[in-house]
Amino acid sequence: MIHQYGRLSVAMTAFLLFCSCETDSYDTGDGNFSYLNADFVIAHTAGEKEIDYAVNDDDEKILLKPHITAQWATTPDSLYRALLYYNKVKKDAEGMRAFRISQVHVLQPKDRRDIEDIITDPLTLQSVWMSHNGKYLNMGLDVKTGKPDEPDRRQLIGVMRDTTITAADGMTHVYLRLLHNQNDVPEYYTSTTYASIPLTDSLRRARIHLLVNTYNGEIEKVF
């Protein structure tokens, strides 16, 4: 069972996922970061906060040697969606070296009738793509944020299954709407976070329309 969220609620101190690998200087040649690879994965915990392997969206298993620590992966023998930075070329017989792992939030679509307040405050859809194995719709989101007056004030992000239409050719079209509640959090600067929408068998057989309210109006992405 992958740990997931119907509507993502994250304190602003933890909301920002800094998902780019940072080094003090640029590495060239055959340095530690020469073969750095970044994959969306399902990560497995061998113990509390300890990731021992991951499976990427090409369904390739990545054994990690040594294991990597993830503070947010608190349940042993569980699966978490994550963005893994690792050395794909240089490896020993026992596994690959991981440099960094960041949590990717899983947004489980909810039916429209189950949502009391449909709020679509604008944000920026940086990128969206279907995973190679067809199991996820992945998104990079730019959100405006800042330090709120109330420390516990949170933004909310989720996905709503809005409308389902069967076309004359028999194709099912499912409209998914991204929900976002700024919740009076200040909009001082922009930061990028990543999320994945798990796709059920019925969604994988359908034409998916993702609707997102941006600062330039609503946009639609079709898969």
Side-chain angles (χ1 to χ4, degrees):
M1 181 67 179
I2 300 171
H3 287 255
Q4 54 191 317
Y5 306 82
R7 295 186 74 187
L8 175 62
S9 174
V10 185
M12 291 314 301
T13 54
F15 180 76
L16 310 179
L17 301 180
F18 297 99
C19 293
S20 61
C21 186
E22 300 176 357
T23 58
D24 292 334
S25 60
Y26 182 76
D27 290 292
T28 60
D30 222 25
N32 288 336
F33 299 99
S34 299
Y35 305 103
L36 187 67
N37 198 74
D39 278 348
F40 276 62
V41 300
I42 299 299
H44 176 264
T45 50
E48 183 180 355
K49 304 177 183 179
E50 179 188 356
I51 307 293
D52 60 342
Y53 74 84
V55 178
N56 66 18
D57 285 351
D58 288 320
D59 293 325
E60 299 171 335
K61 187 173 183 178
I62 305 165
L63 297 176
L64 301 179
K65 179 68 175 181
H67 298 172
I68 189 169
T69 299
Q71 295 297 326
W72 38 265
T74 56
T75 305
D77 193 22
S78 295
L79 301 176
Y80 290 83
R81 189 72 169 155
L83 178 58
L84 175 67
Y85 295 88
Y86 65 103
N87 191 322
K88 192 171 185 177
V89 176
K90 287 189 172 183
K91 61 180 180 180
D92 57 31
E94 298 182 12
M96 302 182 186
R97 180 186 174 189
F99 293 98
R100 183 188 181 100
I101 190 166
S102 299
Q103 186 177 16
V104 172
H105 300 287
V106 178
L107 306 181
Q108 183 70 44
K110 285 191 173 183
D111 290 337
R112 186 186 185 100
R113 63 177 179 269
D114 295 330
I115 300 176
E116 294 182 5
D117 298 317
I118 299 174
I119 301 174
T120 56
D121 291 334
L123 46 65
T124 299
L125 181 64
Q126 183 190 85
S127 57
V128 57
W129 69 98
M130 186 80 70
S131 65
H132 291 167
N133 57 17
K135 296 178 181 179
Y136 292 93
L137 196 60
N138 300 314
M139 296 179 292
L141 303 171
D142 285 345
V143 295
K144 292 186 180 297
T145 187
K147 186 177 180 180
D149 294 333
E150 301 174 32
D152 293 332
R153 185 171 292 279
R154 302 164 183 263
Q155 292 193 48
L156 302 172
I157 296 179
V159 175
M160 178 180 71
R161 187 165 178 153
D162 197 338
T163 308
T164 300
I165 299 173
T166 301
D169 61 2
M171 172 63 72
T172 299
H173 294 255
V174 178
Y175 290 79
L176 299 179
R177 186 176 298 277
L178 191 68
L179 305 178
H180 174 226
N181 185 352
Q182 186 73 26
N183 202 21
D184 294 327
V185 172
E187 301 180 53
Y188 297 147
Y189 57 90
T190 299
S191 186
T192 300
T193 189
Y194 294 92
S196 292
I197 302 173
L199 302 179
T200 60
D201 288 341
S202 62
L203 284 175
R204 294 170 70 177
R205 291 192 298 267
R207 184 72 51 82
I208 299 173
H209 301 251
L210 180 66
L211 306 174
V212 181
N213 186 32
T214 74
Y215 290 96
N216 295 317
E218 184 175 273
I219 61 174
E220 177 179 340
K221 299 292 184 179
V222 182
F223 299 87

